[in-house]
Amino acid sequence: MGKASKDKRDIYYRKAKEEGWRARSAFKLMQIDQEFNIFHGVKRAVDLCAAPGSWSQVLSRNLYLPAKLSSDGKDGGLPLIVAIDLQPMAPIEGVIQVQGDITNARTAEVVIRHFDGCKADLVVCDGAPDVTGLHDMDEFVQSQLILAALTIVTHVLKVGGKFVAKIFRGKDTSLLYCQLKLFFSQVTFAKPKSSRNSSIEAFAVCENYSPPEGFKEKDLYHLLEKVGTPSGADDLDCRSGWLEGPNKVYIPFLACGDLSGYDSDRSYPLPSTEGGTYQSLDPVQPPIAPPYKTALEMKKASSHGAGADTSKSSLDP
Ligand code: SAM
């Protein structure tokens, strides 16, 4: 698909370039904030799986830059934003970048060090594994990434803090909901208007972090496993069998963003320009070292190799 036709078919892709966002996902976080006011009072934020950085840009523009302007450039007390990804990311004002794996326990230590012993008010995670198209498999790998993010949350989030994580809706959604509900008094699954209806993606918006009494971070996985079993559910003061049959748990699900605003599944006409020709904008900041780069290089090398072989064989008698 050409850039202009993608501009037409994906309004958020076009708007992202017009407004200087590195990815269209920026709108998802902004629409979640419109509904849940997640940025209110935030002084320390963590962006997990941040590259190429549009969520970090949203955090910078909503938290860091306004505070910087109002403090006349004095550095004291400015909001602290730490962004982590496996991939390197081009710099963003007010965002400290850490290249690392969120499934690695040491990543939490790095974040804590940056906060100088203080805890975060907000943790967001837009992490996604490479999607295979096999829904069950994708949902499972995605839930493992969320649980890795939850491990970091239990180390860095302050009591009362908020956590937003991308989820894939599937048959284990209620299990994930119950696991998150152990740690947050309010959990809502939200679908921002900028997230395509055709996608199984949604976002868990978890408010008021309140781990169970006596909770120790090292017991996290033991606790999460218990949620999936009816007897464990009893231990945890949950209704027995609440994940099955007529007692299946009710999950609050909310569409968010301006519902009369742009529809991500519709095509929109391109804006007309003075000369009558529409000039598609380049992406704001392409990823610097995306995982597909090696694959492209290998493909290029093999097609050159194939070309060389062909010419060689055509010259051979
Ligand atoms: N929120 C980002 C933005 O707005 O620009 C987009 C995030 S992108 C959908 C998913 C990211 O998850 C990728 O950059 C990928 O490198 C990262 N990721 C996947 N698994 C990870 C892991 N185990 N640790 C850190 N990052 C990971």
Side-chain angles (χ1 to χ4, degrees), residues 190-248:
K191 181 83 173 169
K193 187 106 172 124
S194 49
S195 174
R196 292 186 192 91
N197 284 328
S198 48
S199 158
I200 56 167
E201 162 193 273
F203 293 85
V205 182
C206 312
E207 298 168 274
N208 191 22
Y209 178 61
S210 36
E213 228 178 276
F215 168 72
K216 294 191 184 69
E217 289 90 353
K218 68 174 174 43
D219 295 334
L220 176 69
Y221 276 82
H222 178 59
L223 201 59
L224 293 178
E225 269 165 22
K226 276 182 148 190
V227 183
T229 64
S231 59
D234 279 343
D235 288 357
L236 292 166
D237 200 21
C238 303
R239 279 177 295 143
S240 180
W242 69 334
L243 297 174
E244 287 164 4
N247 292 330
K248 200 170 164 78

Side-chain angles (χ1 to χ4, degrees), residues 263-308:
D263 180 343
S264 50
D265 290 289
R266 256 190 65 190
S267 284
Y268 287 86
L270 295 171
S272 51
T273 50
E274 254 177 45
T277 48
Y278 169 76
Q279 192 67 42
S280 180
L281 296 170
D282 282 333
V284 173
Q285 171 66 61
I288 12 190
Y292 53 79
K293 197 174 162 196
T294 321
L296 287 180
E297 281 166 2
M298 285 166 70
K299 195 172 166 197
K300 210 166 153 190
S302 74
S303 67
H304 282 162

